[in-house]
Amino acid sequence: MADAKNTIADTEKIYDLLILGAGPAGLTAAIYGCRANLSVLVFEQMQAGGEIASTDRLDNYPGFPEGVGGAEFGQLLEQQARRFGAEIRSAGIKEVSPAGDLQKVLTTQGLFYGRTVIVATGTIPGVLGVPGEEKLRGKGISFCATCDGFFFRGKKVAVIGGGDAALQEALFLTRFAEEIVLIHRRDEFRAVPYLQEQVFKQPRIKILWDTVVKGFNGEQQLEAIAVENVKDAQTAVLPVDGAFLYIGRMPNTTFIKGVETDGQGYIITSAEMETSLPGIFAAGDVRRKFLRQVITAAADGAIAATMAVRYLS
Ligand code: NAP
């Protein structure tokens, strides 16, 4: 990587605040940062709104009594951040490191410097690590029902997991799939009661309790899932056209070294979103916290940006 001094000369400007991730945490931070007169640049690898943009509906965010589409909510957040002057660039983050008093952020679109950084990169989907999973990813195995559900019209699919995401997306898939097998490793769901009630009412969702996935079968395309009952060790092979994995998520932090994290890799922050590195804040799902929801992500973003303002002054 080039020397910090040389590269600063090459960059157009040094930003007061670089925000990594344009989900609810990052874009709320952008709104607050811009309104405090900071120059703000936001990086996003996928689409504005982050993870929520690939969710069918957001039903528990206050102020939307009928709920709001995830993609629409993401666009509204983006519009609001841009209205106050935030720049948003499509780029992935490769590395964050200190450069004197500044922070250096290497992205897929080049090198950028900021006086402060807010890490709001959220999480990435967890994987099972079973045979066939890697090979058939994108060939019947998906992590996004909203993106891929359409391809399974009239077909049989499996959804793996028992949390809010698995149940919400299984319900979404009833719009397309003929049959949905919800495979969960225990005999009760972790998801909120509201989602459980909807799932139990839905005749096209069949539940396989106490069942784990042992492997995914198929050469060019997923054809079946090998499963095992954890109570009686009975095995079976379920023919399916698609499988959607919602077994929890992992923090997206591989680009930052030296920051204090918990045992699972979530960034540890103070209540004011300070990380263990000066000038670097974290907000949203990427940090260790009690409740990972859009509303708490937005609140984190507001606090992180306010702290960035304080840090700069
Ligand atoms: P989650 O709540 O961590 O649930 C993960 C599910 O996958 C659990 O049921 C877990 O089983 C299962 N699981 C984990 N590892 C597994 C493995 N190796 N094999 C088989 N099953 C495995 O994750 P999530 O559903 O993605 O939700 C993440 C966060 O986003 C949560 O805070 C959730 O509330 C939030 N969220 C909210 C909404 C909403 O409010 N509508 C929607 C989506 C997500 P166990 O239960 O046995 O541990």
Side-chain angles (χ1 to χ4, degrees):
M1 214 186 318
D3 165 282
K5 263 193 197 145
N6 295 341
T7 326
I8 290 174
D10 293 342
T11 58
E12 288 162 29
K13 80 194 227 199
I14 297 165
Y15 288 85
D16 293 325
L17 174 58
L18 294 178
I19 298 175
L20 319 185
L27 290 175
T28 305
I31 293 166
Y32 276 69
C34 289
R35 286 171 59 93
N37 268 339
L38 304 189
S39 54
V40 175
L41 174 59
V42 186
F43 299 105
E44 173 59 50
Q45 197 170 9
M46 313 283 280
Q47 69 278 53
E51 183 55 26
I52 198 66
S54 59
T55 306
D56 174 44
R57 254 193 125 60
L58 174 57
D59 252 342
N60 56 359
Y61 195 82
F64 294 93
E66 302 305 323
V68 56
E72 185 190 352
F73 185 73
Q75 283 160 12
L76 290 171
L77 277 177
E78 179 182 359
Q79 278 172 26
Q80 198 173 355
R82 286 194 192 276
R83 177 161 74 91
F84 291 113
E87 260 182 71
I88 302 174
R89 283 201 192 210
S90 183
I93 309 300
K94 289 177 151 182
E95 193 180 345
V96 177
S97 52
D101 286 346
L102 300 177
Q103 305 297 336
K104 189 163 68 171
V105 176
L106 180 64
T107 76
T108 51
Q109 299 298 317
L111 190 56
F112 296 84
Y113 288 85
R115 295 186 173 87
T116 57
V117 167
I118 295 176
V119 181
T121 41
T123 54
I124 51 174
V127 291
L128 290 167
V130 297
E133 186 179 25
E134 189 64 37
K135 184 174 83 174
L136 295 168
R137 201 176 171 145
K139 296 174 179 164
I141 297 182
S142 168
F143 298 86
C144 179
T146 325
C147 322
D148 300 328
F150 178 80
F151 300 113
F152 297 93
R153 194 177 283 282
K155 305 226 164 132
K156 178 171 173 176
V157 299
V159 172
I160 297 132
D164 288 340
L167 270 64
Q168 183 163 325
E169 302 308 321
L171 287 164
F172 173 74
L173 285 165
T174 60
R175 294 187 200 180
F176 309 104
E178 181 65 32
E179 185 182 341
I180 295 127
V181 188
L182 186 50
I183 302 174
H184 183 39
R185 64 180 175 184
R186 289 191 292 133
D187 60 2
E188 60 180 352
F189 289 130
R190 176 183 293 273
V192 290
Y194 172 78
L195 287 171
Q196 295 197 33
E197 283 156 25
Q198 305 295 309
V199 162
F200 295 144
K201 275 197 296 205
Q202 175 51 249
R204 268 189 288 140
I205 300 180
K206 310 266 181 306
I207 302 166
L208 270 190
W209 299 109
D210 298 313
T211 301
V212 291
V213 172
K214 302 302 279 185
F216 294 94
N217 306 343
E219 279 310 313
Q220 301 306 317
Q221 197 67 27
L222 176 68
E223 288 166 12
I225 304 182
V227 294
E228 182 180 296
N229 184 294
V230 291
K231 289 204 169 141
D232 59 16
Q234 272 218 334
T235 58
V237 175
L238 301 177
V240 290
D241 303 293
F244 292 84
L245 268 64
Y246 287 104
I247 58 156
R249 305 183 65 86
M250 301 180 301
N252 185 11
T253 55
T254 46
F255 51 83
I256 185 163
K257 302 279 175 285
V259 70
E260 197 186 347
T261 57
D262 71 2
Q264 296 172 288
Y266 288 98
I267 297 176
I268 296 176
T269 68
S270 67
E272 286 78 30
M273 310 302 145
E274 297 152 300
T275 70
S276 56
L277 301 176
I280 299 189
F281 304 86
D285 286 4
V286 75
R287 75 180 191 94
R288 183 179 69 177
K289 64 193 297 192
F290 167 64
L291 183 64
R292 292 197 173 84
Q293 296 276 303
V294 175
I295 190 155
T296 60
D300 286 1
I303 295 169
T306 307
M307 285 302 290
V309 173
R310 188 175 290 185
Y311 178 87
L312 289 169
S313 62

